[in-house]
Amino acid sequence: DQQVKQNSPSLSVQEGRISILNCDYTNSMFDYFLWYKKYPAEGPTFLISISSIKDKNEDGRFTVFLNKSAKHLSLHIVPSQPGDSAVYFCAVGGSNYKLTFGKGTLLTVNP
Amino acid sequence: DTAVSQTPKYLVTQMGNDKSIKCEQNLGHDTMYWYKQDSKKFLKIMFSYNNKELIINETVPNRFSPKSPDKAHLNLHINSLELGDSAVYFCASSQEGSGRGDEQYFGPGTRLTVT
């Protein structure tokens, strides 16, 4: 029973264009949402987060959008760069210490 | 200067053996975690310690036992290894509980292969 779903296993984008990665969750009690990036043979690294009191958070080329009514969040990367090619995980948290991760989306940015 | 380190990076062993994976963080964080990433690529929490106290213990076989000698270290000991234990194990740390949105810092992972 997946509480966090990333329905696109992979995404291919041209350099300079926008990358949009999506994530859906099932539990409305989650109130923190994070994106992690993972390169092969490395651990995930934190990218950006948003709390449930906001609907948008921006950090440079990365913007996370939260739609609480739809239980949906997305990560926008613009402009996309070849170095952005990695697996992106969304993760959600609630009032406990636990994060629940999605399965990840492999982003490939083509030069 | 590595923030979260794990040893070994690769571990190949036979069924029935007992093995340990070590994790150390030099970030001064209070909370540490063990995750398992299986063949389906899901990253699942196994355990979490806050100031050496166990705070998360997911549904994990009791062959898996975490040990936290101090808040900078969280080791994972696995008894009687089975084929299904083959996975990548990640250690992570955070200043507080990540359910509060506190970002976690991950180690590079330990790829365990049980033959």
Side-chain angles (χ1 to χ4, degrees):
Chain A
D1 183 24
Q2 297 177 43
Q3 295 190 67
V4 182
K5 293 183 182 179
Q6 292 178 255
N7 290 320
S8 297
S10 63
L11 175 68
S12 185
V13 169
Q14 208 62 29
E15 182 179 4
R17 305 294 293 267
I18 185 170
S19 296
I20 300 176
L21 297 108
N22 294 302
C23 179
D24 297 296
Y25 59 97
T26 57
N27 190 339
S28 58
M29 298 301 290
F30 291 132
D31 51 14
Y32 284 99
F33 307 88
L34 305 91
W35 284 95
Y36 283 79
K37 175 178 173 178
K38 184 182 180 304
Y39 293 116
E42 295 183 12
T45 55
F46 171 76
L47 195 56
I48 192 169
S49 66
I50 189 169
S51 72
S52 60
I53 61 172
K54 299 175 76 173
D55 55 18
K56 177 183 173 181
N57 189 25
E58 194 170 350
D59 183 3
R61 297 184 297 113
F62 302 91
T63 304
V64 55
F65 295 92
L66 177 63
N67 182 334
K68 291 188 292 293
S69 60
K71 298 192 189 69
H72 178 84
L73 69 153
S74 62
L75 175 68
H76 291 208
I77 308 172
V78 57
S80 301
Q81 299 173 354
D84 296 330
S85 297
V87 176
Y88 289 79
F89 292 95
C90 73
V92 300
S95 58
N96 58 18
Y97 287 85
K98 191 170 120 176
L99 281 183
T100 302
F101 283 80
K103 201 171 174 179
T105 296
L106 173 63
L107 172 66
T108 303
V109 180
N110 301 303
Chain B
D1 195 19
T2 306
V4 182
S5 59
Q6 294 179 229
T7 53
K9 191 166 176 65
Y10 299 96
L11 184 54
V12 180
T13 188
Q14 292 185 325
M15 284 175 54
N17 285 348
D18 303 338
K19 290 293 177 185
S20 291
I21 307 172
K22 295 185 176 182
C23 178
E24 177 181 0
Q25 55 95 3
N26 62 8
L27 298 166
H29 286 166
D30 289 332
T31 309
M32 296 185 72
Y33 311 80
W34 276 111
Y35 286 87
K36 178 180 179 181
Q37 186 179 32
D38 59 22
S39 58
K40 295 181 180 177
K41 304 301 182 187
F42 278 107
L43 201 60
K44 292 184 181 176
I45 183 78
M46 299 173 68
F47 302 102
S48 178
Y49 272 74
N50 178 264
N51 277 318
K52 301 196 299 173
E53 181 184 345
L54 183 65
I55 54 171
I56 295 175
N57 186 353
E58 291 294 285
T59 308
V60 175
N62 57 17
R63 299 182 294 104
F64 289 79
S65 53
K67 294 277 193 309
S68 182
D70 55 62
K71 75 173 194 178
H73 295 84
L74 180 62
N75 303 322
L76 183 65
H77 189 76
I78 315 170
N79 289 328
S80 303
L81 278 154
E82 300 178 358
L83 292 176
D85 298 332
S86 296
V88 181
Y89 292 84
F90 289 99
C91 176
S93 72
S94 67
Q95 182 54 41
E96 296 181 9
S98 284
R100 296 170 177 81
D102 199 29
E103 65 181 89
Q104 292 183 12
Y105 292 78
F106 282 79
T110 295
R111 181 174 292 277
L112 171 66
T113 303
V114 182
T115 62

